[in-house]
Amino acid sequence: MGPGPDCPEIVRMIDENRPTTVPQADFELELGEAFLHFCASANILVVEDGGVRSFHQLISEYLPAVALVGKPLGDRAGNWRWREVIVALCGIVGP
């Protein structure tokens, strides 16, 4: 299933409590091929078997936060799984 406009694949991984590996094509569509290349070159992300995953939980929380910039949070605001993602989102968009 491809990403939707309000619930991209990288966000769905938290909504659906899935592993933090997303398809490479979805990652590139949502955050850009250049960003993926930069993160992979800096050893922040691993690209293998057509998927993208992170080594660190903070990155797994930051990437969905980036994907949510400018989008409504809806029920996510009260969901414990989203707590750290929302904290990261606040740091991205500022006061």
Side-chain angles (χ1 to χ4, degrees):
M1 178 183 295
D6 293 320
C7 191
E9 185 69 23
I10 204 161
V11 171
R12 251 188 231 122
M13 70 183 190
I14 293 179
D15 272 341
E16 298 172 4
N17 199 28
R18 291 189 291 163
T20 54
T21 298
V22 296
Q24 182 175 347
D26 289 339
F27 186 99
E28 290 174 352
L29 177 68
E30 293 160 21
L31 298 173
E33 186 177 351
F35 183 67
L36 175 60
H37 178 71
F38 171 78
C39 291
S41 296
N43 294 320
I44 295 170
L45 297 175
V46 176
V47 180
E48 62 185 9
D49 300 325
V52 178
R53 64 180 172 82
S54 68
F55 282 115
H56 199 281
Q57 183 67 28
L58 289 175
I59 299 299
S60 298
E61 294 160 353
Y62 172 77
L63 296 175
V66 170
L68 285 174
V69 170
K71 295 183 175 75
L73 292 177
D75 292 340
R76 293 181 186 107
N79 185 324
W80 65 270
R81 276 187 274 190
W82 284 92
R83 182 177 32 228
E84 299 304 322
V85 175
I86 293 170
V87 169
L89 178 61
C90 291
I92 292 168
V93 298

